[in-house]
Amino acid sequence: VSDVVNSSPTPDSRGNRTVNSFFIEFDVPVVSPEMNVPLVEQLDLQVAWRKESYSDFDGTNAPRVAFGWRVSDILKLRGSFQETFRAPNLITINESLVVRSNTRNDAAIDYANDLGIDTDDSNGSYSVQRTAQGSSKLRAETSDNTTVGFVLEPTDNITLTYDVWSIESENTIGL
């Protein structure tokens, strides 16, 4: 196999893993319309938990809690909180050295050349070499996700929604 300017095909990667998963979820109708509770036409809660264990990687837990509170026929409030994770895939852990070469054009130099500005005889082209390799030291991507919002249904034909969310991530994996 040739190695002309690092243009060889990607080498084979091998790996294996066993994953054990457990998931439990409860949807709890706390208040129903038949109960005639003031300012609470309906209130539902959701509680969930996921556990995963990996043969080649630390396992993790991922809880979730959510609610839906129908205040009236036209207004519903909702929200959730959950912890999430994504395990590194087998390629990001086991990939051997991969090198890629590419050519880029500098848009600023192209623009300057188009305007007739002297750029020291540069045509704006340059080469980039990217090197990547997997690592067994990677940890799971994790995040805490929070959402709150409302649903407004003033008529049978109109539904307005508004939601705000926050996602805080750690250990983001990129290859």
Side-chain angles (χ1 to χ4, degrees):
V1 177
S2 72
D3 191 17
V4 178
V5 192
N6 294 311
S7 63
S8 297
T10 301
D12 289 341
S13 234
R14 287 184 172 69
N16 60 58
R17 102 173 8 144
T18 301
V19 181
N20 292 308
S21 300
F22 176 78
F23 178 83
I24 189 166
E25 179 177 345
F26 297 100
D27 288 317
V28 182
V30 179
V31 177
S32 66
E34 297 80 27
M35 297 172 80
N36 294 319
V37 175
L39 297 176
V40 183
E41 185 173 310
Q42 184 172 346
L43 177 62
D44 297 313
L45 295 178
Q46 180 188 65
V47 179
W49 181 69
R50 179 176 66 157
K51 167 75 173 168
E52 290 199 1
S53 298
Y54 297 81
S55 59
D56 64 337
F57 183 78
D58 290 336
T60 190
N61 297 300
R64 171 183 162 84
V65 63
F67 75 92
W69 170 21
R70 183 162 293 283
V71 178
S72 66
D73 288 340
I74 65 168
L75 178 63
K76 179 179 183 177
L77 304 176
R78 60 188 179 185
S80 68
F81 172 79
Q82 67 183 14
E83 295 177 6
T84 66
F85 74 96
R86 183 177 75 94
N89 64 43
L90 291 174
I91 292 175
T92 58
I93 291 176
N94 299 302
E95 184 75 79
S96 61
L97 185 66
V98 176
V99 179
R100 296 287 184 259
S101 295
N102 206 331
T103 302
R104 302 279 189 231
N105 292 318
D106 187 326
I109 290 179
D110 288 345
Y111 182 72
N113 286 336
D114 290 344
L115 294 176
I117 297 171
D118 181 19
T119 57
D120 297 326
D121 297 326
S122 173
N123 67 0
S125 293
Y126 59 96
S127 294
V128 175
Q129 189 175 66
R130 177 180 176 267
T131 303
Q133 184 172 12
S135 173
S136 61
K137 296 178 182 178
L138 289 173
R139 299 187 326 218
E141 292 180 10
T142 59
S143 69
D144 291 339
N145 303 334
T146 305
T147 63
V148 292
F150 68 84
V151 179
L152 187 62
E153 299 172 298
T155 71
D156 288 340
N157 298 326
I158 297 175
T159 301
L160 304 170
T161 64
Y162 181 79
D163 294 288
V164 177
W165 64 92
S166 168
I167 302 172
E168 296 179 17
S169 299
E170 293 181 5
N171 302 323
T172 302
I173 300 169
L175 182 65

